[in-house]
Amino acid sequence: MNKPSTASGAGVELRLLAALVAVADESSVSAAAVRLHVAQPSLSRQLRTLERRLGLTLFERSGRRLQVTAAGEQVVTAARRALAAADDVVHAAHRAAVGQVGRLRIAVLPGTSPMILVGGLAAFRRRHPEVETTVTELPDDEQHRALREGRIDVAFNGIVAPPQDLAHRVLMTEPLCLVVPSGHRLAGADRATIGDLAGERVVFFDRSVQPIGHQWLTEQLRAAGVATELQSATLMNIFATVAAGLAVSVLVRSYSSLLQPAGIRFVPLTDVSADLIMLWRPGPESAVVREFREEMTLASHDVLAAEL
């Protein structure tokens, strides 16, 4: 029977390879059948099927035991590798199914990094060290397009609800603060309102960078009777401009603890706040995104509990 097979081993099922390895290990069909929880006649048929497909005699009898033939040794070695590879596939599938491996692409607004993201992302990283995670900056509207097109998985922005076709969750309502130089007339105040910005030059992110936030703050100032045009700047230039006494700004309170810029005071605003909103891709959700969303929800609970 030891002549080359014209079938080239095509279509050999893993169960036949498992039968081969079990018999090779046990040197007995009956013992291997017990190990595999199959009937002995069924296991014998599987071995005959495998030998027929391969065109090889895999075992020869030596007394009451079965001995792997020289050709069979090569097949058994290859079978062990194939079974191990199959186990690797199952293991990889399981890890992907529970979010242990994969890719996570996050977008935040330019110049922003919510405090909650710092804690939540660190916790997620500890539990999922093999997930490839990236954080990029995108304006509100570009976040929406990137989610729809599948270029990012999760986004963070705020203030107003996103378009209805995007799944989202409000993680928390974040206090806003009036940002003033340390020598400003309101620097020592316990609280302020949007109306207190009357007569002030106000600097904020450019409309192209944060179109929703820019429009919202413009409308809030107008509603409070504050006639001023927002001056545009990056986050670092906002702080530099305020510290120099050239303007004031409105930012979420978390900047004060995250950056602690010198020469600047954060005065809580009592009449406005901003929702921190997490958005994610429409359609089927990956396990990685699901795990990350749960981590961020827990992080938001921790932040809220710490503020009580």
Side-chain angles (χ1 to χ4, degrees):
M1 189 175 181
N2 290 334
K3 60 182 180 179
S5 170
T6 58
S8 69
V12 175
E13 300 96 333
L14 289 176
R15 65 183 181 88
L16 299 182
L17 300 183
L20 169 64
V21 170
V23 174
D25 288 344
E26 303 294 340
S27 300
S28 165
V29 174
S30 59
V34 172
R35 167 173 156 180
L36 296 175
H37 305 289
V38 298
Q40 183 174 334
S42 174
L43 184 56
S44 296
R45 285 194 299 273
Q46 290 180 27
L47 288 178
R48 288 194 297 271
T49 297
L50 182 59
E51 288 184 325
R52 185 172 64 255
R53 291 187 182 180
L54 297 178
L56 292 172
T57 297
L58 300 173
F59 294 95
E60 57 189 17
R61 185 164 293 281
S62 176
R64 302 181 65 177
R65 299 177 65 80
L66 290 179
Q67 182 73 35
V68 182
T69 64
E73 289 284 1
Q74 302 300 315
V75 179
V76 170
T77 299
R80 293 188 194 280
R81 289 198 297 265
L83 292 172
D87 286 341
D88 288 343
V89 170
V90 173
H91 182 57
H94 172 73
R95 294 171 69 206
V98 298
Q100 292 180 350
V101 294
R103 180 177 61 175
L104 180 66
R105 298 161 299 178
I106 304 168
V108 298
L109 294 175
T112 72
S113 183
M115 278 297 293
I116 183 179
L117 180 60
V118 177
L121 190 54
F124 178 80
R125 186 67 174 169
R126 287 193 299 270
R127 294 183 174 89
H128 305 81
E130 295 185 59
V131 173
E132 179 187 349
T133 306
T134 57
V135 181
T136 58
E137 295 185 342
L138 292 175
D140 315 75
D141 49 358
E142 181 59 26
Q143 286 185 5
H144 301 163
R145 283 194 295 271
L147 285 169
R148 294 187 183 104
E149 296 169 3
R151 291 185 282 117
I152 60 173
D153 303 298
V154 183
F156 292 89
N157 56 47
I159 300 179
V160 300
Q164 293 184 352
D165 65 314
L166 294 177
H168 67 280
R169 175 183 299 163
V170 176
L171 291 175
M172 59 186 296
T173 298
E174 200 166 7
L176 288 172
C177 290
L178 174 60
V179 187
V180 298
S182 55
H184 192 272
R185 59 185 175 85
L186 295 172
D190 294 331
R191 61 187 63 84
T193 66
I194 282 288
D196 290 325
L197 276 72
E200 300 282 355
R201 299 173 65 189
V202 183
V203 62
F204 193 67
F205 298 100
D206 187 76
R207 186 184 297 275
S208 64
V209 172
Q210 288 197 24
I212 292 177
H214 191 284
Q215 181 63 30
W216 177 85
L217 183 54
T218 298
E219 292 173 355
Q220 294 297 317
L221 291 169
R222 186 180 299 120
V226 179
T228 184
E229 291 292 328
L230 298 181
Q231 301 177 39
S232 298
T234 63
L235 179 62
M236 290 300 101
N237 280 331
I238 289 174
F239 287 142
T241 302
V242 172
L246 301 178
V248 300
S249 187
V250 175
L251 297 173
V252 292
R253 187 177 63 188
S254 58
Y255 280 119
S256 62
S257 54
L258 183 65
L259 299 175
Q260 297 179 340
I264 288 176
R265 296 291 182 270
F266 285 75
V267 183
L269 288 167
T270 59
D271 54 345
V272 289
S273 59
D275 287 337
L276 176 59
I277 303 172
M278 176 172 60
L279 304 81
W280 56 94
R281 290 178 57 182
E285 182 180 60
S286 72
V288 168
V289 172
R290 182 178 64 249
E291 289 288 308
F292 180 70
R293 290 201 299 106
E294 292 176 357
E295 200 68 68
M296 291 306 301
T297 300
L298 291 174
S300 67
H301 293 164
D302 291 341
V303 171
L304 294 173
E307 293 179 350
L308 295 179

